[in-house]
Amino acid sequence: DVGARYPELAPIAESLADRAAILDGEVVALDPDGRPRFQLLQSRMGLTSPAVIQARVGQQPVDYVIFDLLHLDGHCVRELPYLQRRELLEELGLDGPRWRTPRYRRGGGAGLLEAARQQGLEGIVAKRTDSPYRPGKRSGEWIKERVWRRQEFVIGGYIPGEGNRANRVGSLLV
């Protein structure tokens, strides 16, 4: 349980009112342009001191991005198709100051991947709309398509490595 590390997310429970849910999502830290950056999240990970945690909340708040629904009001919904789980999730209205349920889109994956590339995002996730939720498994029913950044360089020279990097490249002149 890492809930104490992210106190700004605790009000999610209140936003559920009298509902009980188990959600699937990701804790993210956003840069000034609103893009998730793992490096920013690292400053919040592993903290245990309540005073340090509270100080970091002010410096680098986190958000919770909700992707899927596993349990609702005592009923397991993992076997329902994604579109039915998604409908149930949207009915919960989980969009708050530090959490949100992002919209989904059917089709147009290539365009979405290009939009992710242009915005400097990590990539996209595609799920089969008829697929159940399979915890702990990576199946062909959902795929993560990463944005790969590439650039070409001309190598003008190198300096051999020293010490434990002997017999290797120490540095490159690009």
Side-chain angles (χ1 to χ4, degrees), residues 4 9 16 19 26 29 31 47 53-54 59 69 92 102 109 123-124 131-132 143 153:
L9 302 180
L16 283 166
R19 310 293 302 268
E26 187 170 353
D31 69 13
L47 300 178
I53 290 169
Q54 201 55 48
Q59 296 167 356
L69 180 65
L92 295 174
I124 62 172
S131 66
I143 57 171
F153 297 95

Side-chain angles (χ1 to χ4, degrees), residues 3 7 9 46-47 62 66-67 82 84 92 103-104 106 108 116-117 121 123 125 127 148 153 158 165 174:
L9 302 180
L47 300 178
V62 298
I66 306 161
F67 300 131
Y82 173 71
Q84 286 183 305
L92 295 174
R103 295 180 306 159
Y104 78 98
R106 289 183 77 163
R117 181 185 326 280
L121 299 175
V125 173
K127 295 183 179 187
W148 294 101
F153 297 95
Y158 74 96
R165 294 189 52 83
V174 179

Side-chain angles (χ1 to χ4, degrees), residues 10-18:
I12 294 172
E14 296 168 18
S15 73
L16 283 166
D18 61 343

Side-chain angles (χ1 to χ4, degrees), residues 44-56:
R44 296 288 305 275
M45 298 169 70
L47 300 178
T48 56
S49 163
V52 173
I53 290 169
Q54 201 55 48
R56 292 280 170 82

